[in-house]
């Protein structure tokens, strides 16, 4: 393999970084006479930066460059490399407007292209640390180096604020050992207004070089150009300080340098000739001939260009004009014919069979072909089952789409597949029912109606009251729900519209309540004070399946609703609890320092010799001075992790909750439903939880108890609907016991009474059911099915507040 070329080019820089990530030593490889080129062992010549990077990554034994040997993952990495390569041309129109690559785009088109591409990147990185997978790949290094120049010279503060995830990702990449020596430590563009052209194009990784005479001459010529009149900040030829100097590309500078060498050589030859005698006549004749040939070529090119301009000024020729007129006439004729076909089809009386006896249009015209058929199918009851039929039944229910939205590509795909199966069953002699319907979508619908009320009337649901608010929701559903049915009909799906159902229809509400009562009587539904996934934005509990997890490798900034600044996650904070007798301290660590306000124990491993002398002792909580016991727990504590001591917050962590159950610990809830500290938060009461994350660390530091912070790999739970970070909160809720039903599902698949197609997914079926957890069915919403259970308070008796950890379960 061979590699040569300009070490200061973007492609060469990306090759160097890729080789560092992939642990491939380029210097140890044999040299080659041609440059830049890579010759593979099979003899294939690779002459592009992207191709060379892919090859270097592919021969790596570490597999770090692609992060996986899976073909799908590698394909995604390659796609992002192509994305970075396609960004280079529009970016060149701003950073290197004189380069050949920049000629592909006008300045306006380049700016629009870059903005659109960065929006796509921002959306992808909102829930991802890196482009592909959980670790850095060559896709990240390629794109980071491509964007380094724009972020340094071009994209100002206003644009950076609109790209928080991109900036966070870029900063993370620049800290990587492979990139830091090249793109780490530079300053981003500080202009308030973005899209500012740089005074001179220079990649941040390229050290400044001494200017050659050609560079100085070209710079002087450009600086003598008159400034533009408008001074537009969006123009790459203008800036806040006046017109920008056009950057000199490496290619042009190299040509200029070669020209100077030739000129110097020519001058030397003249001096020699003057000293030794007259120039050789034969050589002079050859020079004159070459000069004449060059002048002739220039004259020919100038004449050709003059002819082209003359033809352009004169307008199209008669022949071209005639051809264009004929093409326009043909298009108009075809359009008139298509319109006639569509009008004729739409003139068919509703429910009547369309007349197809006339000639068909020569091309497929969907509006003309599809018109009128569906109304006739419905009127003819082709989609209704025969209740008196003895044919074998085939019944399926359409997965109900959310009533607030509209169908998307996923609905189109699944409905088309179901329609194919249903029509095939009808033709195979089955009595078929395909039941249509829509879902009330509790969280989504209530959220969108609340936003609409706030926007139009400045009201909340609490201002209206439950009944009035539900009237508003039903009105919204009636207005927007019909859009979905129109889309279904346009698709031509063969459902029985006479059986159309809505999950909030009276009969279905009654069925849900009846099912709840029966399951409660059978002991399958129960009330218990347990940890739930609480969304502080939606003010409701959500199920495990509605929680997304973001894997982070270390310090990462994420956006959270309700916070103007991004929130830092992936940090392990260590602090000390002083022992009650004053003899020392015990150090614990946490990724959520704000939860220390609800700590009720410190756990150590019973076999850890470091802490055996502390068994049965107490530490003092620095906020309120209460005694916190030191407990022994072999199930929770890993002696090899951290200090071997673990803080226990039973009301805000699933593992701590289980530990609290085993040791009968007190549960202290420190959060209200808005995610702010309640009265148990002491001096931090009323502050948002992620503000307290900062202030409690500062407070610990002021008391001399802070012992440091470090990066920590972790999983951060997000609400799939609101994108807020989920908080484990202790609340009394209704739960469904899923253990017995899961065992029934496993048994049915094992004995063959339930067939899973394709069989490859049987492993997924078993894995999911064998690890099933009880299902929380409570939602703190007004829109949706109300649980038929009520909390009883006796007159003159003070009962614990319903919906809190103090609720009396027997009421």
């Amino acid at each position: 393999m061979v590699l040569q070329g300009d070490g200061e080019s973007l492609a060469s820089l990306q090759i160097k970084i890729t080789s560092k990530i992939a642990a491939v030593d380029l210097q140890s490889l044999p040299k080659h006479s041609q440059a830049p080129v890579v010759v593979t062992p099979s003899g294939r010549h690779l002459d592009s930066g992207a191709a060379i990077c892919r090859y270097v990554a592919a021969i790596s034994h570490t597999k770090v460059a692609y992060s996986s040997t899976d073909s799908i993952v590698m394909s995604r990495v390659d796609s992002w490399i192509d994305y970075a390569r396609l960004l280079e041309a529009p970016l060149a129109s701003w950073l290197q407007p004189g380069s050949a690559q920049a000629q592909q785009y006008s300045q306006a088109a380049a700016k629009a292209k870059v903005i659109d591409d960065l929006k796509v990147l921002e959306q992808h990185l909102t829930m991802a640390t890196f482009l592909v997978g959980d670790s850095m790949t060559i896709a990240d290094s390629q794109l980071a180096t491509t964007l380094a120049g724009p972020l340094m010279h071009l994209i100002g503060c206003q644009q950076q604020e609109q790209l928080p995830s991109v900036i966070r990702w870029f900063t993370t990449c620049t800290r990587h050992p492979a990139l830091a020596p090249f793109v780490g430590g530079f300053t981003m563009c500080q202009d308030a207004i973005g899209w500012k052209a740089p005074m001179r194009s220079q990649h941040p990784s390229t050290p400044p070089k001494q200017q050659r005479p050609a560079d100085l001459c070209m710079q002087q010529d450009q600086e003598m150009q008159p400034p533009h009149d408008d001074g537009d900040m969006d123009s790459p030829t203008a800036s806040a300080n006046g017109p920008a100097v056009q950057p000199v590309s490496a290619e042009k500078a190299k040509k200029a340098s070669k020209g100077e060498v030739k000129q110097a050589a020519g001058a030397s030859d003249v001096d020699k000739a003057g000293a030794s005698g007259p120039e050789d006549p034969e050589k002079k004749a050859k020079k004159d001939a070459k000069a004449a040939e060059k002048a002739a070529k220039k004259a020919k090119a100038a004449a050709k260009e003059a002819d082209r301009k003359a033809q352009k000024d004169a307008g199209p020729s008669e022949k071209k004009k005639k051809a264009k007129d004929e093409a326009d006439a043909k298009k108009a004729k075809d359009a008139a014919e298509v319109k006639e076909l569509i009008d004729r089809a739409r003139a068919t009386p509703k429910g009547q069979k369309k007349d197809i006896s006339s000639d068909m249009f020569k091309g497929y015209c969907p509006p003309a072909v599809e018109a009128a058929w569906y109304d006739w199918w419905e009127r003819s009851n082709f989609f209704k089952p025969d209740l008196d039929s003895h044919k074998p039944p085939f019944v399926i229910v359409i997965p109900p789409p959310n009533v607030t939205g509209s169908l998307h590509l996923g609905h189109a795909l699944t409905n088309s597949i179901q329609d194919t199966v249903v029509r095939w069953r009808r033709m195979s002699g089955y009595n078929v029912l395909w039941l249509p319907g829509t879902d009330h979508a509790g969280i989504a619908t209530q959220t969108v109606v609340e936003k609409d009320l706030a926007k139009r009337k400045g009201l909340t649901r609490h201002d209206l009251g439950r009944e009035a608010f539900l009237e508003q929701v039903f009105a919204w559903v009636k207005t927007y729900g019909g859009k979905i049915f129109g889309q279904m009909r346009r698709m031509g799906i063969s459902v029985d519209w006479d059986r159309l159902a809505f999950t909030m229809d009276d009969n279905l509400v009654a069925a849900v309540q009846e099912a709840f009562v029966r399951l409660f009587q059978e002991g399958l539904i129960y009330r218990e004070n347990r940890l739930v996934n609480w969304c502080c934005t939606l003010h409701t509990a959500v199920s495990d399946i509605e929680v997304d997890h973001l894997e982070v490798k270390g310090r990462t900034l994420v956006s959270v609703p309700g916070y103007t600044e991004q929130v830092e996650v992936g940090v392990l904070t260590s602090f000390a609890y002083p022992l009650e007798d004053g003899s020392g301290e015990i150090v614990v660590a946490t990724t959520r320092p704000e939860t220390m306000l609800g700590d009720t124990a410190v756990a150590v491993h019973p076999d850890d010799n470091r802490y055996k002398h502390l068994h049965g002792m107490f530490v003092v909580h620095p906020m309120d001075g209460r005694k916190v016991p030191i407990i022994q727990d072999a199930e929770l504590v890993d002696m090899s992790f951290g200090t071997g001591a673990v803080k226990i917050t039973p009301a805000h962590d699933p593992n701590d909750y289980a530990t609290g159950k085993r040791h009968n610990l007190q549960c202290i809830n420190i959060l209200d439903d808005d995610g702010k500290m309640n009265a148990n938060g002491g001096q931090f009461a009323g502050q948002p939880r992620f503000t307290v994350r900062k202030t409690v660390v500062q407070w610990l530091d002021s008391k001399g108890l802070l012992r440091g912070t470090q990066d920590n790999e972790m999983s951060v739970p997000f609400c799939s609907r609101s994108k807020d970070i989920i908080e484990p909160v202790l609340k009394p809720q209704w739960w469904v016991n899923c253990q017995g039903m899961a065992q029934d599902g496993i048994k049915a698949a094992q004995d063959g009474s339930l067939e899973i197609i394709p069989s490859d997914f049987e492993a997924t079926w078993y894995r999911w059911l064998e690890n099933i957890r009880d299902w929380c069915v409570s939602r703190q919403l007004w829109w949706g099915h109300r649980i038929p259970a009520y909390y009883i308070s006796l007159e003159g008796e003070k009962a614990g507040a319903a919906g809190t950890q103090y609720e009396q379960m027997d009421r």
Side-chain angles (χ1 to χ4, degrees):
M1 170 181 159
V2 270
L3 174 67
Q4 285 186 345
D6 182 7
E8 295 177 0
S9 69
L10 176 61
S12 183
L13 173 64
Q14 292 174 337
I15 294 170
K16 289 181 180 179
I17 295 174
T18 301
S19 69
K20 192 171 182 65
I21 295 175
V24 173
D25 184 8
L26 297 178
Q27 299 301 323
S28 65
L29 301 173
K31 305 297 181 183
H32 191 274
S33 58
Q34 298 179 1
V37 66
V38 168
V39 180
T40 67
S42 63
R44 182 184 175 198
H45 286 62
L46 308 176
D47 57 2
S48 72
I52 295 173
C53 287
R54 288 189 175 101
Y55 178 73
V56 170
I59 66 174
S60 168
H61 295 293
T62 64
K63 303 303 180 186
V64 175
Y66 274 103
S67 82
S68 172
T69 57
D70 184 84
S71 59
I72 297 178
V73 175
M74 296 177 72
S75 176
R76 291 175 62 196
V77 171
D78 287 339
S79 297
W80 280 108
I81 294 175
D82 292 337
Y83 171 93
R85 181 175 56 82
L86 294 174
L87 260 178
E88 292 175 6
L91 285 173
S93 297
W94 289 91
L95 290 175
Q96 294 179 322
S99 65
Q101 197 176 24
Q103 307 305 317
Q104 300 179 31
Y105 289 88
S106 67
Q107 293 173 359
K111 179 177 179 180
K113 169 69 173 170
V114 173
I115 290 175
D116 289 343
D117 286 350
L118 288 178
K119 287 180 180 177
V120 172
L121 180 62
E122 172 68 19
Q123 183 177 5
H124 174 76
L125 290 172
T126 300
M127 297 296 291
T129 304
F130 296 102
L131 296 177
V132 180
D134 298 329
S135 60
M136 184 170 169
T137 65
I138 58 171
D140 297 281
S141 66
Q142 296 267 300
L143 186 53
T145 50
T146 300
L147 291 177
L151 289 172
M152 184 176 182
H153 298 298
L154 176 62
I155 302 176
C157 296
Q158 292 182 358
Q159 278 67 36
Q160 292 175 29
E161 290 175 358
Q162 299 173 15
L163 303 169
S165 299
V166 172
I167 302 302
R168 181 263 305 161
W169 161 83
F170 180 79
T171 305
T172 302
C173 289
T174 57
R175 294 174 180 169
H176 193 279
L179 267 73
F182 300 98
V183 296
F186 75 94
T187 304
M188 292 191 182
C189 181
Q190 299 298 313
D191 289 344
I193 301 176
W195 302 107
K196 173 185 181 302
M199 290 298 294
R200 181 165 298 280
S201 177
Q202 175 105 10
H203 199 277
S205 65
T206 306
K209 298 192 298 184
Q210 183 177 358
Q211 289 184 308
R212 296 187 290 264
D215 298 329
L216 295 175
C217 292
M218 296 177 72
Q219 177 178 345
Q220 291 169 1
D221 291 342
Q222 291 163 343
E223 289 175 345
M224 291 175 65
Q225 297 297 323
H228 291 268
D229 294 335
D230 52 8
D232 184 5
M233 288 300 295
D234 277 347
S235 170
T237 60
S239 69
N241 300 319
V245 178
Q246 292 288 347
V248 181
S249 68
E251 182 181 358
K252 289 187 176 181
K254 188 181 293 184
K255 289 181 179 178
S257 179
K258 288 181 179 178
E260 290 163 2
V261 172
K262 289 181 179 178
Q263 289 174 5
S268 177
D269 290 342
V270 171
D271 292 340
K272 289 179 181 178
S276 60
E279 185 179 1
D280 185 356
E282 185 178 350
K283 288 184 178 180
K284 186 175 185 303
K286 287 183 178 180
K287 287 183 179 180
D288 292 343
K290 286 183 178 180
E293 183 182 358
K294 188 174 181 180
K297 287 182 179 180
K298 286 185 177 180
K300 184 178 179 180
K304 187 175 181 180
E305 178 65 17
D307 290 342
R308 188 187 66 79
K309 288 184 177 180
Q311 290 178 4
K312 183 178 179 181
D313 295 339
S317 64
E318 287 297 326
K319 184 177 180 180
K320 289 184 178 179
K321 187 174 183 302
K322 181 180 179 182
K324 183 177 182 304
D325 292 342
E326 290 177 353
D328 291 343
K330 185 176 181 298
K331 287 181 181 178
K333 181 181 178 182
D334 290 345
E337 186 177 346
V338 169
K339 185 177 183 304
E340 181 183 355
L341 288 172
I342 295 175
D343 291 342
R344 189 190 312 156
R346 290 176 176 173
T348 303
K350 186 177 179 63
Q352 297 296 316
K353 186 176 182 180
K354 184 167 58 176
D355 181 12
I356 56 175
S357 60
S358 60
D359 293 338
M360 296 182 65
F361 185 60
K362 58 187 177 183
Y364 177 65
C365 178
V369 173
E370 296 175 3
W373 282 120
Y374 198 84
D375 291 335
W376 178 60
W377 292 343
E378 276 197 81
R379 188 171 183 273
S380 301
N381 294 326
F382 289 154
F383 306 152
K384 295 178 66 65
D386 183 1
L387 299 181
D388 299 324
S389 173
H390 296 290
K391 296 179 180 179
F394 181 80
V395 180
I396 64 173
V397 177
I398 198 169
N402 288 351
V403 73
T404 55
S406 57
L407 300 186
H408 50 66
L409 190 59
H411 293 109
L413 173 64
T414 55
N415 285 350
S416 297
I417 294 173
Q418 292 171 69
D419 196 33
T420 302
V421 173
V422 164
R423 290 176 183 267
W424 171 60
R425 288 290 184 175
R426 285 197 189 96
M427 292 187 291
S428 300
Y430 285 82
N431 191 26
V432 174
L433 169 62
W434 188 11
L435 186 67
T438 51
D439 182 40
H440 64 281
I443 294 177
T445 305
Q446 177 164 315
T447 300
V448 73
V449 175
E450 283 192 273
K451 287 182 179 178
D452 180 67
L453 275 175
K455 182 178 180 180
R456 291 188 300 106
K457 300 181 180 180
L459 298 176
T460 68
R461 58 188 167 108
H462 301 284
D463 295 330
L464 293 179
R466 178 185 288 271
E467 298 305 323
F469 176 74
L470 291 180
E471 291 178 3
Q472 293 285 332
V473 180
F474 274 111
W476 178 276
V477 169
K478 184 177 180 180
T479 302
Y480 294 96
K483 181 179 180 180
I484 291 176
F485 304 140
Q487 289 178 306
M488 290 180 175
R489 284 184 161 89
R490 284 292 306 275
M491 290 180 60
I493 63 174
S494 55
V495 297
D496 184 0
W497 288 107
D498 289 343
R499 297 173 182 264
L500 178 65
F502 175 47
T503 50
M504 288 300 293
D505 288 342
D506 291 342
N507 61 325
L508 295 183
V509 170
V512 169
Q513 292 183 348
E514 177 66 21
F516 184 95
V517 172
R518 291 188 188 184
L519 291 173
F520 176 77
Q521 292 173 343
E522 294 173 12
L524 293 176
I525 287 184
Y526 61 94
R527 180 85 165 172
E528 187 170 326
N529 197 25
R530 296 172 58 178
L531 284 183
V532 297
N533 302 312
W534 187 259
C535 176
C536 299
T537 297
L538 300 178
H539 295 172
T540 183
V542 296
S543 64
D544 290 343
I545 202 172
E546 294 170 307
V547 178
D548 298 328
H549 292 271
L550 173 65
E551 304 295 332
V552 298
K553 296 297 183 181
R555 298 173 191 265
T556 306
L557 295 176
V558 296
S559 298
V560 178
Y563 291 83
T564 56
E565 296 182 355
Q566 289 187 302
V567 174
E568 188 176 50
V569 297
V571 181
L572 191 66
T573 301
S574 300
F575 66 94
Y577 271 124
L579 296 174
E580 181 190 19
D581 61 2
S583 60
E585 65 182 27
I586 187 168
V587 178
V588 296
T590 178
T591 57
R592 300 158 64 207
E594 69 277 10
T595 62
M596 65 87 61
L597 302 174
D599 286 355
T600 57
V602 173
V604 297
H605 197 283
D607 298 331
D608 195 335
N609 293 326
R610 294 173 295 176
Y611 301 116
K612 281 190 175 181
H613 66 291
L614 300 180
H615 292 184
M617 296 181 64
F618 293 84
V619 296
V620 178
H621 200 289
M623 183 185 68
D624 53 12
R626 56 188 164 86
K627 292 168 42 175
V628 176
I630 299 175
I631 63 174
Q632 299 83 53
D633 193 292
E635 185 173 341
L636 175 71
V637 181
D638 179 2
M639 290 188 290
S640 63
F641 181 77
T643 63
V646 181
K647 60 184 285 297
I648 306 299
T649 318
H652 295 286
D653 183 89
N655 293 326
D656 292 0
Y657 176 75
T659 303
K661 283 281 191 181
R662 291 194 296 272
H663 295 272
N664 196 29
L665 298 176
Q666 181 185 9
C667 293
I668 300 177
N669 181 21
I670 60 172
L671 292 176
D672 63 16
D673 291 348
D674 293 324
K676 296 179 180 179
M677 293 293 147
N678 59 23
N680 292 329
Q683 67 190 69
F684 304 99
Q687 296 183 24
R689 64 195 192 279
F690 293 124
T691 300
V692 176
R693 176 167 295 185
K694 293 181 179 180
T695 56
V696 79
V697 171
Q698 297 169 357
W699 174 72
L700 287 169
D701 192 21
S702 68
K703 287 188 168 292
L705 298 175
L706 185 65
R707 295 296 178 264
T709 62
Q710 65 185 72
D711 285 5
N712 182 70
E713 184 176 350
M714 62 180 296
S715 176
V716 184
F718 283 84
C719 175
S720 62
R721 300 183 183 276
S722 69
K723 308 307 177 186
D724 193 3
I725 294 180
I726 289 294
E727 290 292 340
V729 175
L730 191 63
K731 283 182 175 292
Q733 304 281 279
W734 292 99
W735 303 81
V736 176
N737 186 338
C738 298
Q739 306 306 314
M741 290 182 281
Q743 291 303 315
D744 292 342
I746 293 173
K747 182 180 179 182
Q750 290 174 339
D751 63 21
S753 58
L754 174 66
E755 182 181 5
I756 297 177
I757 304 173
S759 59
D760 297 348
F761 285 91
E762 287 184 3
T764 304
W765 175 263
Y766 292 134
R767 183 170 60 252
W768 184 60
L769 292 181
E770 287 168 356
N771 296 282
I772 200 73
R773 295 197 297 176
D774 287 359
W775 176 28
C776 175
V777 293
S778 294
R779 296 293 181 271
Q780 286 63 39
L781 302 172
W782 286 3
W783 170 245
H785 294 283
R786 297 187 69 178
I787 291 176
Y790 303 89
Y791 190 63
I792 299 175
S793 297
L794 301 178
E795 186 176 355
E797 181 185 40
K798 185 177 181 181
T804 68
Q805 65 183 94
Y806 308 108
E807 176 184 300
Q808 296 174 241
M809 297 300 173
D810 58 349
R811 300 298 177 91

